[in-house]
Amino acid sequence: MESKIEVLSTVTVENSSDLYKIVDTLNRTLKRENLMFGLALDQEDKEKAVFTIYRT
């Protein structure tokens, strides 16, 4: 069975050392709603982070 992951939204924000805590909490709380959250450093500006919401 094939799993599709759909990007619902992406936003670039100022990087903070605590952002991962928000992403972790969202993933733990909303996984049963078929939502997944991602966080990555912006490739062009390491002072920014890219936050993405996915539907799984």
Side-chain angles (χ1 to χ4, degrees):
M1 189 165 141
E2 187 175 315
S3 173
K4 283 192 171 183
I5 297 177
E6 173 187 6
V7 175
L8 299 178
S9 181
T10 299
V11 65
T12 301
V13 297
E14 291 295 321
N15 193 15
S16 166
S17 62
D18 285 338
L19 281 176
Y20 79 93
K21 293 177 185 178
I22 295 168
V23 173
D24 183 57
T25 299
L26 288 168
N27 279 323
R28 291 172 188 260
T29 305
L30 297 173
K31 66 182 174 185
R32 65 185 157 269
E33 303 295 329
N34 297 320
L35 295 173
M36 182 172 67
F37 303 85
L39 185 66
L41 281 178
D42 187 308
Q43 292 297 317
E44 297 173 8
D45 184 352
K46 300 301 182 191
E47 299 296 317
K48 305 259 183 204
V50 179
F51 175 74
T52 307
I53 304 171
Y54 306 91
R55 182 175 313 279
T56 60

